[in-house]
């Protein structure tokens, strides 16, 4: 979990441009991707569930989702994540940005998630990286986020 907290601290600066992108209604599909990564078409069902963007390198997948917070605080959202079976749930407040980091495991596959919460706008942007069970995957998550954020 300490590694995820380190990722949260690094990603705080990285995720802020994505929040600006959401507020400006920018299209993430216009982003250049690092070598080996390609955009994946988001299905209508996934789009209905808030997934805005997805990329893959054939081994890992990064998705960016927008989720309504329904007026809940960061603390309430973190508690809800714990109650929903999420693991390693941590709250980080860096430079005024409220972040929730957590991991989930479904059928033995671990995913890492970072949620940038905009409580006043009743929404959060969730970045999910699958699979993310080791340090190499966590490093790939950070590297990809930094690459994408540098363009915004």
């Amino acid at each position: 979990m300490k590694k995820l907290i380190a990722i949260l601290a690094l990603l705080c600066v990285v995720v802020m441009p994505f929040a600006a992108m959401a507020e400006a209604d920018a299209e993430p599909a216009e982003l250049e991707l690092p070598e080996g990564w390609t955009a994946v078409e988001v299905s209508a069902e996934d789009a209905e569930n808030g997934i805005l963007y997805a990329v893959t390198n054939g081994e890992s997948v990064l998705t960016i989702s927008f989720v309504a917070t329904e007026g809940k605080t960061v603390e309430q959202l973190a508690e809800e994540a714990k109650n929903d079976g999420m693991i390693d749930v941590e709250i980080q407040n860096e430079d005024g940005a409220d972040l929730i980091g957590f991991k989930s495991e479904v059928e033995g596959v671990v995913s890492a998630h970072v949620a940038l919460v905009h409580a006043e706008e009743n929404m959060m942007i969730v970045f999910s990286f699958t699979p993310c069970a080791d340090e190499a995957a966590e490093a790939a998550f950070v590297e990809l986020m930094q690459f994408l954020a540098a363009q915004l």
Side-chain angles (χ1 to χ4, degrees):
M1 185 59 209
K2 291 180 182 175
K3 302 255 187 238
L4 188 56
I5 292 298
I7 289 173
L8 285 174
L10 288 171
L11 287 178
C12 182
V13 173
V14 174
V15 297
M16 294 307 286
F18 284 100
M21 175 189 68
E23 291 173 13
D25 293 325
E27 287 293 325
E30 298 171 7
L31 296 173
E32 180 182 330
L33 297 171
E35 186 175 327
W37 288 89
T38 57
V40 177
E41 186 174 337
V42 176
S43 71
E45 180 181 343
D46 286 342
E48 286 179 17
N49 290 323
I51 296 177
L52 174 68
Y53 190 61
V55 298
T56 186
N57 66 358
E59 295 176 17
S60 300
V61 175
L62 171 77
T63 60
I64 303 172
S65 306
F66 290 92
V67 180
T69 61
E70 301 170 353
K72 296 174 185 156
T73 66
V74 174
E75 292 77 13
Q76 290 170 322
L77 292 166
E79 190 60 34
E80 192 173 271
K82 288 178 190 175
N83 292 338
D84 287 345
M86 300 300 165
I87 52 178
D88 295 336
V89 179
E90 294 282 339
I91 296 173
Q92 182 82 17
N93 185 291
E94 259 332 287
D95 299 324
D98 289 319
L99 298 167
I100 303 171
F102 56 96
K103 288 187 175 181
S104 62
E105 186 171 349
V106 176
E107 298 180 9
V109 178
V110 176
S111 299
H113 314 273
V114 176
L116 174 62
V117 180
H118 289 278
E120 63 280 353
E121 293 162 14
N122 285 321
M123 54 110 25
M124 63 182 166
I125 304 168
V126 181
F127 301 86
S128 301
F129 193 82
T130 303
C132 197
D134 58 30
E135 289 182 25
E138 291 175 358
F141 185 15
V142 171
E143 184 178 311
L144 180 57
M145 294 293 295
Q146 289 172 332
F147 185 92
L148 295 174
Q151 299 174 58
L152 302 173

